[in-house]
Amino acid sequence: MIDLTAFRTAAQHLKTGLALSGGGLRASLFHIGVLGRLAELDLLRHVEVISTVSGGSIIGTYYYLKVKELLEGRRADRLSPGPAAYIQLVQEMEVDFLHTVQKNLRMRAFLDQRKNARMFRESYSSTDRMAELYTEYLYAPVQGTTGIFLKDLPIDPAAFPASDDGLSYKIPTLILNATALNTGHLWQFTGAFVGEDSSRYNRSARQMPVMPKLYFDSPELTPRQRFILDRLTLGQAVAASCCVPGLYEPLCLNGLYQSETGEDIVIRLVDGGVFDNQGLISLFAEDCTQILCSDASDLLKPVQDPSTRLLNVAIRANEIMMDRIRNTILDDLFARPPYSYVFFHLGATVSPQTFPDDAPQLLYALTHIRTDLDSFTDREACTLMYYGYRLVGETLQNPAAAEVDWRFLRIQDVLRDEPQRQVLLQHLQVGAKPFFKVFFLGKPAPYAIVLAALMAPVGAVAFVLSLLPWWVSGLLALGLLSMVAYSQNARINQYLDRVEWLRRARRRLARAMAPLGIPTLLGLSVAAVTWVHLNLFDRLFLRYGRIGHRAH
């Protein structure tokens, strides 16, 4: 148990940092609950540095822009930055962020047929597409423009009338953490600079060079560096911080650095969780003396009979390695003086007042929910927010702090009712699956839709093929195979390019197909499938996940 009064007093006078971990949208939703209770306890006003990773970067950037709008006096309601204002900010986030999440950004990335066609080429990746979506659906509505550049991130505070009670606030800075594949070092995006952090966690400079920080206002920048940095967007920084290796292509920055021989160094950035999934190292480097850490990252889970398949062994070995990195960084946090840090992590035991019954099963389900960027239902989102909120309240107890009427507190009624709690538990368990979740809820509607959708085209295709000669069917099959070959993403194509004859064959195929409009056709096909998923199966999944929806 932490003495809240002592911690808050220290936070007012010392440098306080807030770390929001990675863990996909599961982490983002958990962090909202944590932020809600921290706002009630009047701690958010005193945060000076916000360090974020992956899913923490998505919500941390959203929160930072809300604070920026508040402190710059750009809100329509002219809200003053007192304790109630920070509560209101998180209340707005609770509603608006979930509304955006339920648009399913992961699938929405493939809804535009023209963007799909571009992604089949090497010059435009899924990471670039996600950067655009983060800006369009999350950050532009707050900032009031889609042109949000990293250099415009610093807060220019407005002059507010003096408060009678002497309340003050700090101007926070935001650090978005990624990992550089070039050196294996921590890469930081801020409103002041981009570049690698020099810390004891890096290898010696004699073994691995450090890409120095490039400051936006530095007179030493070359015209080319200045051109690139001036056009670096906030969405790109968030996308780099969220770029899970193997799922998204690295964000590439070319032209910022040169080798000793004068050749360009292409910086390739992936998820910051590869280096530090908690975001703590940046707070250590900033000499924060008070630290609030919200950790919703994956914990290493015991496996009774580990698989011997090569891929599964490699995945398990990577999980063990990441757990070792996490424990090393957390050991440095826990070695700090008492009352200088507070740590909240997804999976921590809570009191019976939080989860009245079935607490082990609920905690297990919450820690296994997917770390993805797709739709989260009301039940999933509210349970994650509620859990983060209650966890902070139990760690930093303050009976005098009145609880706000948060929307996610609706989940308490579900938890108190045995039948509803069992339905919730089943829903959270299904939430561990990355795909086709709606088919595991035991509802007949999704299967009926698939059956009806298959019968019509299968019958039509069979009828048409029966009227055609065999060689026409062969040509159609060859065209289908060609479409599949062309649709391979850039990462696979790069591997193919290592073999000279495959490279020549693929490029000839690409040149032959381009005049036929194959990329456009593929883009249209993917967009059509995406539309069906979003408007039928995703909508059904969200409907079944509403709080108060009938179990049967």
Side-chain angles (χ1 to χ4, degrees):
M1 190 64 61
I2 303 297
D3 186 341
L4 173 62
T5 303
F7 189 90
R8 185 162 52 199
T9 301
Q12 291 174 354
H13 300 92
L14 301 174
K15 192 171 186 178
T16 302
L18 171 65
L20 301 177
S21 79
L25 291 180
R26 179 186 75 182
S28 300
L29 296 166
F30 175 81
H31 295 326
I32 289 179
V34 170
L35 291 172
R37 189 57 179 163
L38 292 178
E40 287 182 355
L41 299 176
D42 196 23
L43 287 170
L44 290 184
R45 285 190 303 123
H46 311 299
V47 170
E48 199 166 341
V49 184
I50 305 172
S51 175
T52 65
V53 183
S54 195
S57 292
I58 297 175
I59 191 64
T61 300
Y62 189 60
Y63 168 72
Y64 177 86
L65 290 178
K66 298 285 287 185
V67 173
K68 177 179 171 70
E69 181 187 42
L70 169 70
L71 299 185
E72 291 181 345
R74 294 187 290 107
R75 288 180 59 96
D77 57 7
R78 311 303 298 173
L79 192 64
S80 297
Y86 286 81
I87 294 175
Q88 184 171 331
L89 293 188
V90 184
Q91 283 183 307
E92 294 170 356
M93 290 170 55
E94 174 198 11
V95 176
D96 298 338
F97 186 81
L98 178 57
H99 178 70
T100 300
V101 165
Q102 293 183 342
K103 292 180 181 295
N104 198 334
L105 296 183
R106 184 188 71 182
M107 291 300 298
R108 197 164 290 274
F110 305 102
L111 193 57
D112 189 318
Q113 64 187 60
R114 292 171 297 179
K115 301 288 186 179
N116 292 342
R118 288 186 62 190
M119 280 189 279
F120 289 129
R121 307 184 182 98
E122 297 182 9
S123 59
Y124 183 78
S125 69
S126 56
T127 302
D128 297 320
R129 180 65 179 134
M130 291 306 299
E132 295 173 351
L133 291 177
Y134 293 142
T135 301
E136 178 182 354
Y137 286 96
L138 281 172
Y139 309 137
V142 179
Q143 195 68 4
T145 177
T146 56
I148 309 175
F149 298 101
L150 200 62
K151 65 178 182 178
D152 300 325
L153 205 55
I155 296 174
D156 182 18
F160 291 96
S163 175
D164 295 334
D165 50 14
L167 293 174
S168 61
Y169 55 90
K170 294 181 180 178
I171 309 297
T173 58
L174 177 66
I175 302 175
L176 300 167
N177 297 284
T179 305
L181 290 179
N182 307 66
T183 61
H185 292 161
L186 178 68
W187 178 280
Q188 297 174 320
F189 291 98
T190 75
F193 65 85
V194 300
E196 293 183 349
D197 175 62
S198 300
S199 71
R200 67 180 183 85
Y201 295 93
N202 290 342
R203 296 180 65 187
S204 170
R206 291 175 295 180
Q207 298 175 327
M208 189 67 68
V210 175
M211 301 298 166
K213 296 176 180 177
L214 300 176
Y215 288 82
F216 292 107
D217 59 356
S218 172
E220 299 179 359
L221 293 177
T222 66
R224 187 181 184 190
Q225 288 175 323
R226 191 173 301 281
F227 179 85
I228 296 171
L229 292 178
D230 284 349
R231 285 156 181 78
L232 190 59
T233 68
L234 180 60
Q236 287 177 304
V238 174
S241 183
C242 300
C243 185
V244 179
L247 295 181
Y248 295 97
E249 296 177 37
L251 181 77
C252 297
L253 299 178
N254 190 10
L256 292 179
Y257 302 96
Q258 289 187 332
S259 66
E260 295 179 354
T261 60
E263 298 179 353
D264 282 344
I265 298 175
V266 182
I267 301 296
R268 299 188 188 276
L269 303 173
V270 296
D271 197 301
V274 175
F275 193 92
D276 168 24
N277 201 39
Q278 284 63 52
L280 288 168
I281 293 178
S282 289
L283 297 186
F284 296 160
E286 289 291 318
D287 296 323
C288 292
T289 52
Q290 300 294 113
I291 291 179
L292 298 158
C293 180
S294 179
D295 182 13
S297 59
D298 270 331
L299 302 179
L300 186 66
K301 302 171 181 68
V303 178
Q304 185 173 352
D305 184 17
S307 172
T308 58
R309 294 182 179 178
L310 291 180
L311 179 60
N312 292 343
V313 171
I315 293 174
R316 182 62 177 176
N318 181 70
E319 291 174 347
I320 294 172
M321 180 181 64
M322 296 303 298
D323 188 67
R324 297 266 304 179
I325 295 172
R326 176 180 183 272
N327 289 336
T328 298
I329 297 172
L330 288 181
D331 285 343
D332 290 341
L333 175 68
F334 299 152
R336 291 181 162 238
Y339 305 113
S340 66
Y341 68 88
V342 188
F343 180 66
F344 321 104
H345 74 94
L346 183 67
T349 304
V350 289
S351 69
Q353 285 72 34
T354 297
F355 292 142
D357 295 290
D358 304 318
Q361 294 93 324
L362 286 167
L363 285 176
Y364 182 87
L366 285 174
T367 57
H368 284 74
I369 285 182
R370 64 202 177 280
T371 57
D372 212 332
L373 302 179
D374 63 342
S375 293
F376 278 67
T377 65
D378 290 348
R379 287 175 179 167
E380 294 174 311
C382 288
T383 307
L384 284 165
M385 294 182 198
Y386 169 74
Y387 174 56
Y389 173 84
R390 294 286 300 184
L391 186 59
V392 176
E394 294 184 12
T395 307
L396 294 170
Q397 286 191 352
N398 182 18
E403 291 187 354
V404 176
D405 185 21
W406 302 96
R407 292 180 76 247
F408 59 74
L409 291 180
R410 296 176 297 164
I411 204 67
Q412 292 181 112
D413 295 332
V414 177
L415 292 168
R416 296 189 187 105
D417 183 81
E418 173 66 23
Q420 291 191 65
R421 190 171 64 252
Q422 292 306 313
V423 173
L424 171 65
L425 183 57
Q426 181 210 10
H427 197 88
L428 296 178
Q429 291 168 342
V430 169
K433 301 182 182 299
F435 302 105
F436 310 116
K437 292 177 289 296
V438 71
F439 291 94
F440 293 91
L441 292 176
K443 307 291 185 179
Y447 295 95
I449 292 173
V450 171
L451 183 61
L454 287 177
M455 289 179 63
V458 168
V461 170
F463 176 75
V464 171
L465 290 179
S466 67
L467 304 177
L468 298 176
W470 66 268
W471 59 270
V472 176
S473 301
L475 287 177
L476 291 175
L478 180 62
L480 178 62
L481 290 175
S482 299
M483 291 169 58
V484 172
Y486 191 86
S487 68
Q488 302 305 302
N489 63 30
R491 184 166 53 255
I492 297 177
N493 287 334
Q494 289 171 1
Y495 285 114
L496 294 177
D497 281 346
R498 295 178 182 177
V499 183
E500 184 62 27
W501 72 271
L502 286 176
R503 180 175 60 190
R504 290 196 301 267
R506 184 179 66 81
R507 290 180 176 174
R508 283 198 298 268
L509 180 62
R511 286 196 297 270
M513 285 186 168
L516 301 176
I518 298 299
T520 302
L521 179 60
L522 289 173
L524 179 61
S525 301
V526 173
V529 172
T530 300
W531 185 91
V532 171
H533 175 81
L534 290 175
N535 288 277
L536 293 178
F537 301 113
D538 201 58
R539 185 171 294 182
L540 270 178
F541 180 61
L542 293 175
R543 179 186 175 189
Y544 294 148
R546 291 175 186 166
I547 296 176
H549 185 273
R550 290 180 297 176
H552 303 288

